[in-house]
Amino acid sequence: GRGEATQFTIGTIDRGDIVEVVGATGTLEAVTTVQVGSQVSGTIQSLYADFNSTVKKGQVIARLDPSILQARLGQAEASVLSAQANVDRSRATVETAIKKYERAKELAATKLIAETDLETAKANYDGAVASLKSSQAAESQAVANLNQAKVDLSHTIIDTPIDGVVISRNVDVGQTVAASFQAPVLFVIANDLAQMRVN
């Protein structure tokens, strides 16, 4: 106030840092975090990481029970073998049909068979070719299903995509995870706990 005496603080002149302090409230979190989930459904068979575990990129941190997916892989392999057998059978049918058609053309040229027999032989040949194409398409589909089964089986092994520390584990051994619409989050890994931020 105007009536108060002026107060002085006396100090020695020196050099130093000027510090500005900014206060904020929020949630403290790592700058980089990764959610690790499962692309396939199954039961957690084993866990190899827990809270505060330090993990390296590529390290296996969980396994799902692979028995159901191994069975699907076996079915897919059997389907491929069956499809390949159907392709071989269709090829043999095509070879037989083309021989009969060529023979029918020769006989028809000398008028030894009726024109309808030639048309029947041609129709049988065309049908055999169409059947072969269908068998080949089914084989391609079976191979694609086999590849998908192999990929699904490989996804039962869950590894970490980054180096870091596990800050959240959302599953226990024996728990079933369902990956029907979106991948369930099993772990949250922080890349570097020395780099933090307030969100």
Side-chain angles (χ1 to χ4, degrees):
R2 291 178 180 273
E4 296 180 3
T6 303
Q7 299 289 325
F8 296 98
T9 300
I10 299 173
T12 304
I13 295 175
D14 62 357
R15 293 180 179 274
D17 296 329
I18 298 175
V19 179
E20 182 177 3
V21 178
V22 178
T25 58
T27 303
L28 186 65
E29 61 183 25
V31 173
T32 303
T33 59
V34 174
Q35 295 181 340
V36 180
S38 172
Q39 296 185 31
V40 294
S41 301
T43 304
I44 299 293
Q45 186 179 60
S46 50
L47 294 172
Y48 304 107
D50 205 342
F51 300 103
N52 296 327
S53 296
T54 301
V55 293
K56 297 291 184 184
K57 181 177 181 179
Q59 178 180 335
V60 176
I61 55 177
R63 285 182 190 273
L64 298 177
D65 182 4
S67 55
I68 294 175
L69 295 175
Q70 284 172 339
R72 286 184 191 161
L73 178 62
Q75 290 173 345
E77 288 171 342
S79 295
V80 168
L81 293 175
S82 176
Q84 289 171 342
N86 287 338
V87 168
D88 292 341
R89 189 179 303 113
S90 295
R91 279 202 183 98
T93 303
V94 168
E95 290 174 6
T96 302
I98 196 169
K99 288 177 183 175
K100 288 182 179 179
Y101 176 52
E102 294 295 336
R103 191 176 308 123
K105 282 199 294 187
E106 292 173 3
L107 294 174
T110 57
K111 304 292 185 187
L112 291 176
I113 62 169
E115 191 68 27
T116 55
D117 291 339
L118 176 61
E119 292 171 356
T120 300
K122 176 72 164 66
N124 289 340
Y125 169 65
D126 291 341
V129 170
S131 179
L132 174 60
K133 290 179 180 177
S134 176
S135 297
Q136 289 170 332
E139 181 187 21
S140 297
Q141 181 66 45
V143 169
N145 290 339
L146 174 61
N147 291 335
Q148 182 64 54
K150 288 179 180 177
V151 169
D152 287 345
L153 184 59
S154 72
H155 286 160
T156 60
I157 300 173
I158 298 165
D159 55 19
T160 174
I162 61 170
D163 296 345
V165 176
V166 177
I167 59 174
S168 176
R169 175 179 59 81
N170 302 325
V171 290
D172 292 304
V173 173
Q175 184 174 337
T176 300
V177 294
S180 52
F181 297 108
Q182 61 182 10
V185 177
L186 309 182
F187 297 89
V188 178
I189 298 175
N191 178 242
D192 184 3
L193 291 180
Q195 301 292 323
M196 304 294 286
R197 69 180 178 186
V198 176
N199 186 12

